[in-house]
Amino acid sequence: MPHPLAPHLPDAGDPNALVEGVWPASAERVDGALRVGGVDVREVASTHGTPFLLVDETVVRDRARRIREAFEAAFAESAGGSGVDVYYAGKALLTADVARWMRDEGLRIDVCTGGELAIALRAGIAPELIGFHGNNKSPAEIEAGVTAGIGTFIVDAPIEAERISAAAERAGRVQRVRLRISVGVHASTHEFLATSHEDQKFGIPIAEAPAVVARIRELPGLELVGLHTHIGSQIFDHAGFAESARRMLALHAELSGEAPLPELNLGGGFGIAYTAADTPEPIEGIAARVADAVRGAAGELGIAVPRIAIEPGRWIVGPAGVTVYTVGTVKPVQLADGARTYVAVDGGMSDNARPALYGAQYSARLANRASDAEPTLARVAGHHCESGDIVVDAEWLPADVAPGDLLAVAATGAYCHSLASNYNATPRPPVLAVRDGAVRELIRRESIDDVLSRDAGLVQAPADTARDDDETTGAASA
Ligand SMILES: Cc1ncc(COP(=O)(O)O)c(C=O)c1O
């Protein structure tokens, strides 16, 4: 029977269970405590404090390789394809080491700001492996990408084509570009909606694409290598990808009649399990169905299958991460439809904005111990001054959850660190990597001094402080 306060939540079951697919593949309980990648999170907490984001490097690498191999097999020449390039969408989680893991596993890197570009370049990623997105790249960002010699820019507006071409001419280069198309397929989790019009900021509508492509082909600084689309994120239904692929293939066929278009980028968005209710299809099945749709459409149009690119982010890093917090307060609230226990932790919307931004659901477990206590309906809240500061809307936790317990939240590898903020002047948690039982920092914990370091009123403090101290202490100044 669903609880009236959480109708979407499956029955309680064992509140200690680590549901397969939700928790990292390496997660286990040893003597009751949670281990990830062979390391006990209690030890990590005592060395690094809480909260922290712990990412299992082996899981990330395995998933990067797995999705690349799945799409390579589906689009192999032997399967009637022309090969695949996999770009890791850095917006999900980008640190220098994460970028290097992707390169080592044969992936390219997709960035969408000058900051992400700088991380990838300084991590030593070969510029030609980088694709640069963004719906409003600044002149400085364009200049930085062109002079670094990045592989491709994804043009998002006609004026951007002019700007990139001018920058390339100044640098004496011809810049490879793709054109982002708003394809009219909107996908979200289990459904998709196909429209002919788009009301969104990204890309060029299909109907306008031929004119923009003609202009790009005239510009001396540009070489158009293909079209691009991205229909959304956290998608389980392959039918949305297939519909978008068919529409893109039709446009690709029309535009490659005039000049070659070797590539077609179908974007990212492959869904993962955040709770036991999420049951994504194995990626090999999705790759095979997308490839079927592409081959089928290419056959009907009488064209060769272009080289395909994809841009997964969440699918690779999301399931590899857990965030561990310390419980501070536990407050039962009696409501007309039953009781709910508010479990407040030492982080919140500053380290995981997704529940507040999108109503995203997560799963939580006691991490320092298992418990025989009855399950109770809990809501995990953060410590911020905001009633929407919820980390996990509804979860079954053992009823004896208490202050001082460690609480782990699963599937926080993607879009948590990258969306983190300093709300309430909160220092951001570290990003730690575990590999073969050893933990190391990818990103160190922020200190309060880090947070205050941009406050000019404090940086210039010595003189002011002296004056204030004189005022408050009544000390005489000469
Ligand atoms: C253009 C583009 N490509 C790829 C991605 C990655 O999506 P996901 O992390 O859901 O795979 C995004 C996400 O917003 C995107 O905007």
Side-chain angles (χ1 to χ4, degrees), residues 18 24-30 32-39:
L18 303 172
S26 63
E28 56 183 336
R29 283 196 187 273
V30 177
L34 176 66
R35 277 175 180 258
V36 175
V39 69

Side-chain angles (χ1 to χ4, degrees), residues 2 22 38 56 163 217 361 373 409 447:
V22 172
D56 187 327
R163 289 173 182 156
R217 283 174 165 158
Q361 305 288 334
V409 175
S447 65

